[in-house]
C-alpha cells in the first residue's frame, strides 16, 4: 500500500493514492531536486494553529519551487511518519531535503522515558497534554537520535550528488538539538550533512522563506540554479 499526501482545502492528510492527480504528484516528488516535509505534532488544544502553520510552511516551500508533503500526528501514528520520511529521503534525484516540525517538544525524561538519552526536545507525536505527557513512552516521541538514524539509513547518497537535510523546528526546547549538533566533530557533521534551524513561521513568514533560500545557497548552489533563482 502506498501513502502520500494530497492537498485539500489547505489541509493535507495521509490517505491512499487515488487517481491520475495522485500519480502526477508522486512523480513530481520523485524527480524533484529539492523536497520538503511538514509535520504537525499532537495537540488538540492547538490544532487550529498547527494546521495554519503547516499550511503556511507548505505554501512557502511551494513558492520556492519545492514540492512539500505534510502529516498531522493527531490523524496517524508514528509508524506512518517514519514510513513517509523514509520514502521521501530515499528519492535518488533529490539533493536537498527540508523537514519542518510544528508542535510540542519534550522538556526532559519523566516516567517511562526517565533516563532515556537525548530525549529532551523530542517531538510529541501523541499524548501531548501536560497530564498525558507524564505517561509518554518512546513510541509517543520522535527524538533527535531517531531522526539522525533514519536519515542515515534512508538517504541515497553519492559523491556526485550528496544529499543534505535541513530541519526547521517550531517548538519548545529546540536549543537542545542545536547544542547536541555543535558537539559533533567536523568529520561527523560533514558525514551527516544536517542543519538545525529554530524558527517560527507565524512570527515572520518572510524570514522563514529567507531561511529556506539560505539553506539551499549554502549547501547546494546547483539545486538553487535548478529551482530557477
Amino acid at each position: 500500500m502506498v501513502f502520500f499526501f494530497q492537498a485539500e482545502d489547505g489541509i493535507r492528510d495521509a490517505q491512499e493514492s487515488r487517481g491520475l492527480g495522485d500519480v502526477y504528484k508522486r512523480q513530481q516528488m520523485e524527480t524533484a531536486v529539492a523536497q520538503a516535509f511538514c509535520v504537525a505534532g499532537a495537540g488538540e488544544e492547538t490544532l487550529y494553529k498547527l494546521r495554519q502553520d503547516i499550511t503556511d510552511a507548505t505554501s512557502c516551500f511551494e513558492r520556492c519551487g519545492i514540492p512539500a508533503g505534510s502529516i498531522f500526528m493527531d490523524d496517524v501514528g508514528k509508524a506512518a511518519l517514519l514510513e513517509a520520511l523514509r520514502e521521501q529521503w530515499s528519492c535518488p534525484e533529490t539533493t536537498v531535503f527540508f523537514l519542518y516540525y510544528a508542535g510540542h517538544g519534550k522538556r526532559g525524561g519523566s516516567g517511562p522515558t526517565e533516563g532515556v538519552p537525548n530525549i529532551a526536545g523530542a517531538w510529541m507525536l501523541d499524548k501531548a497534554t501536560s497530564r498525558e505527557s507524564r505517561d509518554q513512552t518512546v513510541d509517543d516521541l520522535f527524538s533527535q537520535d531517531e531522526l539522525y538514524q533514519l536519515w542515515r539509513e534512508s538517504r541515497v547518497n553519492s559523491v556526485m550528488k550528496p544529499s543534505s537535510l535541513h530541519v526547521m523546528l517550531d517548538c519548545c526546547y529546540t536549543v537542545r538539538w542545536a547544542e547536541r549538533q555543535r558537539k559533533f566533530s567536523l568529520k561527523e557533521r560533514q558525514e551527516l550533512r544536517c542543519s538545525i534551524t529554530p524558527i517560527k513561521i507565524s512570527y515572520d513568514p518572510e524570514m522563514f522563506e529567507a531561511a529556506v533560500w539560505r539553506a539551499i545557497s549554502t549547501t547546494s548552489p546547483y539545486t538553487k540554479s535548478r529551482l530557477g533563482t
Side-chain angles (χ1 to χ4, degrees):
M1 183 177 292
V2 176
F3 288 88
F4 85 106
F5 306 90
Q6 174 178 315
E8 182 175 347
D9 298 330
I11 298 172
R12 294 169 180 245
D13 295 305
Q15 54 184 298
E16 290 185 46
S17 175
R18 301 186 183 94
L20 293 176
D22 293 354
V23 172
Y24 174 77
K25 176 71 173 181
R26 184 178 178 82
Q27 290 175 340
Q28 182 187 32
M29 299 288 277
E30 289 177 345
T31 59
V33 293
Q35 294 190 55
F37 200 80
C38 303
V39 181
E44 293 182 5
E45 75 284 2
T46 57
L47 185 57
Y48 175 79
K49 179 185 180 302
L50 292 178
R51 287 194 183 278
Q52 188 60 54
D53 288 344
I54 295 301
T55 298
D56 290 346
T58 301
S59 298
C60 171
F61 285 122
E62 293 183 343
R63 282 196 304 273
C64 296
I66 301 171
S70 58
I71 196 169
F72 290 84
M73 297 314 303
D74 279 331
D75 300 330
V76 299
K78 183 176 181 177
L81 171 63
L82 300 182
E83 180 181 349
L85 293 177
R86 187 178 294 110
E87 180 175 355
Q88 187 183 79
W89 291 348
S90 63
C91 290
E93 297 303 317
T94 304
T95 56
V96 179
F97 296 93
F98 289 90
L99 177 59
Y100 169 73
Y101 172 75
H104 296 293
K106 193 166 182 65
R107 181 175 183 177
S110 62
T113 60
E114 187 73 40
V116 176
N118 298 329
I119 202 67
W123 303 354
M124 293 189 180
L125 308 182
D126 198 7
K127 301 177 183 176
T129 66
S130 56
R131 186 178 64 179
E132 291 178 323
S133 63
R134 300 180 213 137
D135 299 321
Q136 285 174 329
T137 69
V138 292
D139 293 331
D140 303 312
L141 304 165
F142 188 45
S143 70
Q144 188 174 9
D145 289 347
E146 288 180 288
L147 186 148
Y148 290 158
Q149 180 179 351
L150 184 65
W151 168 241
R152 289 187 176 104
E153 293 173 350
S154 304
R155 64 176 174 169
V156 175
N157 219 345
S158 69
V159 175
M160 296 299 295
K161 293 201 310 183
S163 55
S164 61
L165 173 65
H166 302 280
V167 182
M168 309 181 80
L169 298 175
D170 190 349
C171 61
C172 300
Y173 311 114
T174 57
V175 67
R176 304 293 182 89
W177 287 55
E179 286 175 348
R180 289 191 203 110
Q181 184 146 317
R182 280 198 294 269
K183 294 178 181 177
F184 289 175
S185 67
L186 177 60
K187 182 179 180 180
E188 288 174 317
R189 290 196 297 271
Q190 290 175 335
E191 186 276 328
L192 188 62
R193 294 181 63 85
C194 178
S195 69
I196 305 294
T197 304
I199 197 164
K200 287 189 175 294
I201 191 170
S202 57
Y203 287 176
D204 193 339
E206 291 184 1
M207 184 179 294
F208 186 95
E209 188 167 332
V212 171
W213 285 122
R214 186 164 57 251
I216 293 175
S217 299
T218 56
T219 59
S220 183
Y222 167 77
T223 299
K224 186 177 180 182
S225 67
R226 288 284 302 276
L227 291 171
T229 61

